[in-house]
Amino acid sequence: MASELPPEFIVKIAYDRCRRCKRCVMNCSFGCMQFTDRVVPEHKLCVACQRCVTFCPEHAITITKNELAYKENANWSPETRQNILKQAETGGILLTGMGNPREYPILWDHLLVDACQVTNPSIDPLREPMELRTFLGRKPDRLEFVESEYGEIDLATEIEPQVRLDVPVVFGAMSYGAVSLNVHRSLAMAAARSGTLMNTGEGGLHKELYPYSGNVIVQVASGRFGVHSEYLNTSAMVEIKIGQGAKPGIGGHLPGEKVDEDISKTRMIPVGSDAISPAPHHDIYSIEDLSQLIYAIKEATDYEKPVSVKISAVHNVAAIASGIVRAGADVVTIDGFRGGTGAAPMVIRDNVGIPIELALAAVDERLRSEGIRNNASIICAGGIRNSGDMAKAIALGADAVVIGTAALVALGCRICQKCYTGNCAWGIATQKPELVRRLDPQVGAGRLTNLLTAWSLELKEVLGSLGVNSIESLRGSRERLRGIGLDSQTLELLGVKPAGVGQ
Amino acid sequence: MVMRIDCKGLYYRKQNKIIRDAAEEGETEFILDNANGQRYIGNGIEKNIKITVNGVPGNDLAMFMNGPTIIVNANAQDGVANTMNAGEVIVHGSAGDVIGYGMRGGKLYVRGNIGYRAGIHAKEYKKQIPIIIAGGVAGDFCGEYMAGGVLVLLGLNRGEGVPIAGNYLGTGMHGGVIYIRGEVDEYTLGKEVSVLPLDKKDLKVLTKHLKEYCEHFGLDLDEIMAEPFIKLQPLSNRPYGCLYAY
Ligand code: SF4
Ligand code: SF4
């Protein structure tokens, strides 16, 4: 049965300007553009990824919404009806890609940062040094020193392994399989240049990227793909993935058609077979079990690497995080419900989890009140869009933030949400060689490095205006934040005062 | 030289460090006496050493292991051969739950019974094929999500009416094969598997591994092969391919 779905978008071609170069036909990976005697778009296939628009030399293409495909109705949005039609035709789960696009409040946009005036002068970051360096890992409860016979003071406390970040931003976990090898290459090179980390996600690390081990977080997820002792040791840090913000409680599923020779080698599964990551780790059914896995990893890495545990932000996140820290994790990564994904059931992505702002505030508060905040670093993920969000996250208690979607946007992603199709026109969420080639890793690494450089500069500006010269002075300093347009309970949860209230 | 370690009251972290360091120095054989629940024995070791465990080792024995041979002269606990890459584990008693989870190579031979979720998500890659053989019976969810490898249940010495495997056998299985000596009730099977008779190739594979197994435990291969086996295989290597709308 032919689908009755009306096209979502209309592709308009200004034929008077078109010079019939067919570039749009070659660029469209969704098969939307046909060439007969002229370019003819098949509107139904358009996903508005903007590839043709970007590459048309005559700027002859515009893509618009198919406005009246569905008669206006404030209750029954076009998307709601489109989804019903899709399900009526297929009887299947709706899949989608990227993060939650719904209009939930974005609390970052309701938080404002303080600045110095008159009495305590601000600092000019252009002339004065600003410290952005951050160390991830377990910090000791107290420091002890010994005096040598020559009167020198030495540290006696044994410090647990720490990972140094030159900028408090790490790249999000995106598996090779969900994204292309050129994305992994770009991320690894940029991480090395910027003094930060990329994260393999759950699909293993391609051999070619082993030299970047000092800038890689290797992930251990329920499917254990590509996990072996050499992999664990080719890293700066190991991360146990329990959950992902975009799909809390849901496993992963890389369809067999994406498992080509190279991916099969990295994941260590046969070509063409589905890579299924079950929802839970089957050796973790309790905090004690989690602890067992944490220490299994520490044993396998000779206690030389911090171990992170990543969870999605869910209702009980603070208590869970406390358990994770007590289980022996050196880092807790919390992923909010706006975090991205290569593929997730829409019903989960759009309805499950809580915003990272609240989760972060709750976790930081809980760990502090229990006196164990120093036992683990907190990394905050899922919805960091700019350096302002980053500064606010750090003030709310994060040691560092994660960028996934923002990094992909820097690489060319247009957030068309079709990652799960494997047809990404920008060479990002695809394994098709002709598409992967579209992303030059050198160019990609340059763009990502630029982004991190820009955010660092901006963060220094923020610190300067706050009158502090180190990120450490902003960390967890909620007094430097004020809320606007937030109800009193949300303010209380965030631990910030409303704007207009002084000290 | 053989290094003997008395594990009585020895903290696992210390014990494993002794083994790791000595192996690094070239020691190839270890005997652990009085083992009593020490975890992670053999964890992540990449060398072809041999470890004999006298006593009961703790959880995650041979996890991430890549090469060694471990012989356990007692029962083993949970998580044996978890995410193991290569090597051999021979357990002269029974083993606990989640053995061979995510295992992708090497051999795990258990003389007695195995617990719940054995061989779960075992996978194979080219010539690297994990082999799990249990002489007794298995608990529920045996071979769940199995994506590769060979799992054999012999059901030896089991009591009257004791099933050879629990419920949900092979649920979500999408690769590999399970050989069972005897019959299983249809209702205990996961819906992703089918029961097939063994062909010539199966018999060859099975005989090869069982021969080795029998040598370890002093069992008679012919006697074991005298009973008929069945084979469980996934119906598809893409069990969840048609769950989604477009
Ligand atoms: S890319 Fe632009 S100019 Fe070239 S064929 Fe397409 S619409 Fe015409
Ligand atoms: S990664 Fe590609 S497919 Fe996914 S949203 Fe971005 S542009 Fe679209």
Side-chain angles (χ1 to χ4, degrees):
Chain A
M1 194 181 76
S3 171
E4 284 174 10
L5 287 175
E8 215 177 326
F9 305 103
I10 298 293
V11 185
K12 289 191 187 136
I13 295 176
Y15 289 110
D16 53 337
R17 289 216 297 281
C18 172
R19 59 157 119 130
R20 300 171 180 234
C21 70
K22 298 189 200 168
R23 218 173 272 183
C24 51
V25 181
M26 289 182 296
N27 268 285
C28 184
S29 53
F30 291 88
C32 166
M33 298 295 213
Q34 314 292 330
F35 196 87
T36 46
D37 54 333
R38 59 179 193 172
V39 177
V40 186
E42 171 63 85
H43 303 299
K44 274 190 177 181
L45 296 176
C46 179
V47 302
C49 74
Q50 306 291 338
R51 181 81 190 180
C52 59
V53 176
T54 312
F55 283 89
C56 171
E58 300 297 331
H59 305 289
I61 308 174
T62 23
I63 296 169
T64 59
K65 265 200 222 158
N66 188 6
E67 282 294 352
L68 272 180
Y70 301 89
K71 185 174 179 295
E72 275 165 40
N73 186 315
N75 189 35
W76 293 94
S77 70
E79 207 198 337
T80 306
R81 281 178 277 172
Q82 176 185 300
N83 289 341
I84 291 176
L85 291 177
K86 277 190 194 171
Q87 298 197 293
E89 286 178 6
T90 63
I93 296 171
L94 295 165
L95 263 191
T96 186
M98 301 312 281
N100 191 335
R102 309 253 167 251
E103 284 183 25
Y104 291 101
I106 299 172
L107 298 183
W108 300 130
D109 296 338
H110 293 268
L111 288 169
L112 298 165
V113 182
D114 193 17
C116 292
Q117 298 292 295
V118 186
T119 51
N120 46 349
S122 46
I123 302 173
D124 183 354
L126 299 180
R127 287 186 289 105
E128 300 200 39
M130 282 283 167
E131 187 61 86
L132 295 189
R133 233 180 308 170
T134 297
F135 289 88
L136 299 178
R138 173 176 297 251
K139 310 292 185 292
D141 291 337
R142 75 175 80 82
L143 292 177
E144 275 160 17
F145 300 90
V146 284
E147 197 179 335
S148 74
E149 53 180 305
Y150 307 107
E152 287 160 347
I153 305 288
D154 284 324
L155 187 61
T157 312
E158 213 180 297
I159 306 288
E160 301 275 334
Q162 305 284 326
V163 177
R164 180 180 137 174
L165 303 181
D166 291 336
V167 287
V169 191
V170 300
F171 294 125
M174 294 177 270
S175 73
Y176 171 42
V179 296
S180 67
L181 186 54
N182 280 350
V183 173
H184 261 204
R185 286 182 176 122
S186 307
L187 291 167
M189 279 191 271
R193 279 184 218 168
S194 311
T196 186
L197 309 170
M198 60 97 69
N199 188 321
T200 60
E202 55 183 302
L205 180 68
H206 194 279
K207 277 270 184 260
E208 185 196 305
L209 298 178
Y210 273 39
Y212 292 95
S213 61
N215 299 94
V216 176
I217 301 173
V218 295
Q219 215 178 47
V220 175
S222 63
R224 305 283 156 91
F225 295 109
V227 177
H228 45 81
S229 51
E230 191 189 3
Y231 166 79
L232 295 174
N233 282 292
T234 309
S235 70
M237 183 157 107
V238 184
E239 180 168 277
I240 299 172
K241 180 201 174 183
I242 301 289
Q244 184 178 340
K247 41 178 173 176
I250 294 280
H253 182 179
L254 187 71
E257 55 261 31
K258 285 195 190 171
V259 181
D260 63 14
E261 191 60 45
D262 243 14
I263 291 194
S264 114
K265 212 181 287 166
T266 305
R267 295 207 174 208
M268 304 171 91
I269 51 169
V271 174
S273 79
D274 276 13
I276 298 174
S277 294
H281 287 250
H282 286 288
D283 50 0
I284 305 178
Y285 282 66
S286 65
I287 289 291
E288 291 74 18
D289 289 348
L290 174 67
S291 182
Q292 186 174 311
L293 182 59
I294 291 172
Y295 282 93
I297 290 169
K298 288 186 183 235
E299 281 276 318
T301 53
D302 215 0
Y303 296 85
E304 280 171 3
K305 326 244 176 219
V307 175
S308 155
V309 174
K310 178 184 174 187
I311 49 167
S312 29
V314 290
H315 300 183
N316 213 8
V317 66
I320 298 166
S322 163
I324 288 172
V325 175
R326 290 170 194 281
D330 305 294
V331 176
V332 186
T333 302
I334 318 160
D335 197 11
F337 83 152
R338 279 190 301 271
T341 175
M346 191 184 285
V347 64
I348 300 287
R349 182 197 67 179
D350 293 358
N351 300 290
V352 179
I354 63 169
I356 187 59
E357 301 90 325
L358 291 165
L360 170 62
V363 170
D364 179 66
E365 177 54 34
R366 175 78 174 238
L367 299 185
R368 274 174 201 280
S369 68
E370 294 183 357
I372 53 173
R373 178 65 183 84
N374 63 302
N375 287 2
S377 301
I378 299 177
I379 302 186
C380 149
I384 301 291
R385 303 158 299 167
N386 51 48
S387 62
D389 292 353
M390 165 169 70
K392 292 168 190 174
I394 288 165
L396 276 183
D399 286 280
V401 300
V402 169
I403 55 167
T405 306
L408 295 189
V409 170
L411 290 176
C413 164
R414 297 304 200 261
I415 316 195
C416 72
Q417 307 179 331
K418 293 290 175 217
C419 325
Y420 63 97
T421 64
N423 287 329
C424 176
W426 296 88
I428 296 169
T430 179
Q431 301 307 328
K432 297 184 177 163
E434 68 280 12
L435 298 178
V436 172
R437 227 179 298 136
R438 292 179 180 184
L439 177 66
D440 178 337
Q442 288 294 347
V443 175
R447 295 176 65 91
L448 289 169
T449 310
N450 283 344
L451 182 73
L452 292 188
T453 307
W455 285 24
S456 306
L457 291 171
E458 289 179 345
L459 186 58
K460 287 178 182 177
E461 294 287 339
V462 173
L463 293 178
S465 80
L466 281 164
V468 298
N469 58 9
S470 139
I471 185 103
E472 216 45 66
S473 308
L474 176 62
R475 192 160 284 133
S477 182
R478 301 188 195 188
E479 181 51 32
R480 308 307 301 266
L481 292 176
R482 288 293 183 270
I484 182 154
L486 295 174
D487 59 72
S488 55
Q489 196 170 17
T490 307
L491 286 168
E492 200 183 308
L493 289 169
L494 291 171
V496 299
K497 295 170 185 154
V501 173
Q503 285 194 342
Chain B
M1 262 291 285
V2 182
M3 185 167 186
R4 265 199 120 99
I5 304 170
D6 184 4
C7 299
K8 195 168 170 111
L10 189 59
Y11 186 45
Y12 77 82
R13 201 166 151 175
K14 210 165 157 193
Q15 165 206 287
N16 294 338
K17 190 162 169 48
I18 295 172
I19 300 174
R20 264 200 308 271
D21 290 350
E24 210 48 59
E25 299 279 298
E27 185 61 78
T28 54
E29 208 176 329
F30 299 84
I31 298 177
L32 310 186
D33 291 318
N34 301 315
N36 191 12
Q38 281 88 353
R39 290 178 174 181
Y40 313 124
I41 295 171
N43 179 321
I45 295 182
E46 305 250 345
K47 295 193 153 28
N48 289 332
I49 58 171
K50 181 176 167 191
I51 305 175
T52 305
V53 185
N54 296 321
V56 179
N59 291 351
D60 285 344
L61 173 79
M63 186 167 186
F64 303 125
M65 194 173 84
N66 196 17
T69 298
I70 298 185
I71 297 160
V72 180
N73 291 318
N75 291 332
Q77 299 195 20
D78 298 342
V80 182
N82 190 343
T83 322
M84 174 172 138
N85 217 39
E88 247 179 83
V89 182
I90 297 138
V91 180
H92 284 267
S94 290
D97 297 338
V98 223
I99 62 158
Y101 171 22
M103 186 176 169
R104 80 163 70 73
K107 295 166 187 170
L108 169 53
Y109 295 151
V110 180
R111 176 62 183 86
N113 301 331
I114 53 179
Y116 294 116
R117 307 194 296 279
I120 187 166
H121 220 304
K123 47 181 87 67
E124 64 188 53
Y125 176 65
K126 298 206 164 150
K127 284 208 178 104
Q128 240 183 313
I129 300 173
I131 318 286
I132 302 174
I133 306 181
V137 300
D140 292 346
F141 297 103
C142 183
E144 191 187 20
Y145 278 124
M146 207 167 136
V150 179
L151 199 156
V152 187
L153 298 179
L154 298 178
L156 302 170
N157 319 101
R158 74 187 138 128
E160 186 77 28
V162 176
I164 194 160
N167 292 327
Y168 306 103
L169 177 57
T171 295
M173 191 172 168
H174 53 290
V177 55
I178 302 178
Y179 297 112
I180 292 179
R181 185 168 169 271
E183 295 288 324
V184 286
D185 283 325
E186 188 72 32
Y187 76 89
T188 64
L189 295 181
K191 57 185 184 307
E192 293 80 11
V193 288
S194 54
V195 178
L196 299 163
L198 275 66
D199 58 24
K200 269 213 182 93
K201 216 177 115 213
D202 292 317
L203 276 173
K204 218 176 115 191
V205 172
L206 190 60
T207 316
K208 184 178 137 215
H209 296 306
L210 281 179
K211 189 164 169 267
E212 233 187 271
Y213 179 88
C214 288
E215 277 163 17
H216 283 299
F217 299 114
L219 295 168
D220 183 356
L221 178 65
D222 294 333
E223 209 172 290
I224 286 177
M225 294 306 289
E227 290 262 336
F229 279 79
I230 55 164
K231 166 167 89 163
L232 297 189
Q233 244 178 0
L235 293 161
S236 146
N237 66 345
R238 308 217 35 210
Y240 305 119
C242 52
L243 265 185
Y244 304 106
Y246 35 77

